[in-house]
Amino acid sequence: MQINIAKKSQAKEQDVTDEGIYRERRSILKKMGFVGASALLAGPAQADLFDIFSNKEETKFKVEPLKFKADKQTGTIKLTPEEKATHHNNFYEFGTKKSDPAENAQNFKVNPWQLRVEGAVDKPLTLDYDDLLKSLPLEERITRLRCVEAWSMVIPWIGFPLAALLNKAGVGSKGKFVKFTTLKSPTQMPGQANRFKGGGIDYPYVEGLRIDEAMHPLTMLAVGMYGKTLPPQNGAPIRLVVPWKYGFKWIKSIVKIELTERQPINSWNQLLPNEYGFYANVNPEVDHPRWSQASERLITSGGLLSRNRIPTLPFNGYGEEVAGMYKGLDLRKNF
Ligand code: MTE
């Protein structure tokens, strides 16, 4: 995974701006013209300025509004602006730069889609695109996303508990782990067609959880964010949300969920076993071999001169709910 070295462009806590104000400010800046605006805005927003003269919107992937039970925290928590959450991405199938997924994934086809639930289940299931959005009640959950590269965001996800889907399929006693696989489609995903463009990962991207982690109420399959279906760069049509684990566990564009007896080998662990483990629980006390995990850069709407470094919390702040699952496990060895 590429290193995200702290830069002068980090946002200050006081610079956190709610999305409405952020959008309004951007439209004023647009009206001001390029010079002043581009000096004030960060990379992805700069790119947007040029949209005034392009008809990019026409070819853009269409997201759709969703019906869901809103998170009670809505309005009380400062969210990462949607623009940032959808333009600063890791989705190596579409390239390794943070801006690549938003640029390269707009023609990604998510409908028709098939998600298979199989392996050690009583009743294997296949869900099509409509099933993903309609077969289980959707709820919104605002969670932190902490990337192993030491940046973080606060995002309102929409989806359902993974346990609800696994219970539909029937979890037998043989299923000790859950293996997740992303779509393999080298014609659509340039990173899969060219090993260099895809960061050296042996695709398809694979992730895994222990069965108790998978059944934990905080573990969610997300089909939307910010009130709408997921854009492709964020893992449309369905991706994993495991709030207490580093972002690389949050596998995107899933086509297969398989209950297994043996611990699956996840993609990043396979590529760099000394740097990325299976557990990947957020842990400020266990540094990455190449950088500290003690703090993180909270991505906000801050501009070039702002900075927002906050301390990283054990289990990303969800310790009360999840620490019990790891009693007796050496979290330094099982990183
Ligand atoms: N899933 C797939 N299939 N491919 C990827 O490259 N990157 C992971 C994760 N899921 C990745 C993936 C990493 S490293 C992170 S930090 C999160 O997605 C980023 O999610 P976001 O782009 O929605 O912020």
Side-chain angles (χ1 to χ4, degrees):
M1 212 164 295
Q2 292 179 332
I3 313 173
N4 209 14
I5 300 166
K7 290 196 195 105
K8 288 229 165 86
S9 58
Q10 289 163 349
K12 270 185 191 163
E13 197 139 29
Q14 62 265 38
D15 287 335
V16 177
T17 310
D18 83 46
E19 209 196 326
I21 300 169
Y22 174 68
R23 286 190 179 284
E24 194 177 286
R25 196 186 288 168
R26 266 192 34 218
S27 82
I28 294 167
L29 287 169
K30 274 187 180 177
K31 280 174 201 150
M32 277 165 56
F34 294 132
V35 183
S38 60
L40 286 164
L41 291 172
Q46 278 178 29
D48 271 11
L49 290 171
F50 296 95
D51 286 354
I52 310 171
F53 297 118
S54 76
N55 59 357
K56 230 173 161 189
E57 287 303 316
E58 280 167 31
T59 55
K60 235 180 149 187
F61 184 92
K62 296 268 185 297
V63 290
E64 303 190 5
L66 285 171
K67 281 202 178 124
F68 54 89
K69 188 169 153 243
D71 189 319
K72 288 198 188 81
Q73 303 174 97
T74 308
T76 61
I77 289 188
K78 285 202 165 135
L79 302 177
T80 294
E82 184 178 351
E83 185 71 19
K84 294 262 166 138
T86 56
H87 288 82
H88 177 281
N89 300 104
N90 276 336
F91 199 169
Y92 275 23
E93 286 88 335
F94 292 103
T96 57
K97 276 197 297 173
K98 297 286 178 278
S99 55
D100 282 344
E103 266 172 39
N104 299 333
Q106 296 307 313
N107 294 320
F108 187 50
K109 296 264 173 300
V110 302
N111 188 6
W113 193 267
Q114 284 206 325
L115 168 65
R116 285 182 291 138
V117 185
E118 57 183 44
V121 291
D122 302 332
K123 202 175 73 169
L125 302 172
T126 302
L127 286 87
D128 67 17
Y129 182 79
D130 283 341
D131 295 333
L132 298 180
L133 302 185
K134 291 176 190 152
S135 66
L136 288 157
L138 298 181
E139 56 187 272
E140 180 183 48
R141 289 194 199 167
I142 299 172
T143 78
R144 287 181 287 278
L145 160 60
R146 168 46 158 101
C147 178
V148 75
E149 295 165 332
W151 53 262
S152 63
M153 300 195 190
V154 181
I155 298 179
W157 302 104
I158 297 157
F160 48 83
L162 173 60
L165 179 61
L166 293 181
N167 284 333
K168 262 192 159 192
V171 178
S173 59
K174 276 191 175 168
K176 304 269 187 290
F177 295 90
V178 184
K179 177 180 171 187
F180 304 84
T181 308
T182 291
L183 177 73
K184 185 160 185 186
S185 177
T187 51
Q188 297 191 84
M189 297 168 151
Q192 291 184 341
N194 175 322
R195 219 181 154 96
F196 177 71
K197 282 191 187 161
I201 291 173
D202 187 10
Y203 291 104
Y205 195 98
V206 167
E207 258 308 335
L209 293 174
R210 245 173 32 189
I211 189 72
D212 57 336
E213 297 175 324
M215 298 300 284
H216 192 280
L218 283 180
T219 306
M220 175 188 206
L221 284 171
V223 295
M225 64 197 288
Y226 298 92
K228 296 156 284 189
T229 49
L230 290 174
Q233 60 268 36
N234 293 88
I238 188 157
R239 61 102 48 96
L240 189 64
V241 169
V242 249
W244 70 100
K245 291 185 182 280
Y246 289 124
F248 69 89
K249 301 293 289 180
W250 301 39
I251 182 170
K252 297 176 170 180
S253 306
I254 305 167
V255 289
K256 192 163 66 168
I257 298 178
E258 193 182 351
L259 265 74
T260 60
E261 282 184 62
R262 299 178 62 181
Q263 183 174 305
I265 299 172
N266 46 319
S267 294
W268 278 102
N269 180 244
Q270 186 186 35
L271 185 67
L272 293 166
N274 297 329
E275 301 194 5
Y276 308 106
F278 174 77
Y279 279 92
N281 291 323
V282 174
N283 192 342
E285 281 167 22
V286 178
D287 286 340
H288 184 280
R290 291 187 274 135
W291 61 86
S292 163
Q293 294 293 26
S295 66
E296 66 206 49
R297 177 170 65 103
L298 177 62
I299 296 188
T300 65
S301 50
L304 284 177
L305 300 173
S306 56
R307 190 174 271 280
N308 196 13
R309 190 150 280 276
I310 57 169
T312 289
L313 299 172
F315 300 106
N316 204 19
Y318 300 93
E320 216 172 284
E321 290 100 317
V322 301
M325 287 193 286
Y326 307 103
K327 269 200 187 114
L329 192 75
D330 183 343
L331 295 176
R332 286 189 177 273
K333 276 195 193 140
N334 297 283
F335 55 92

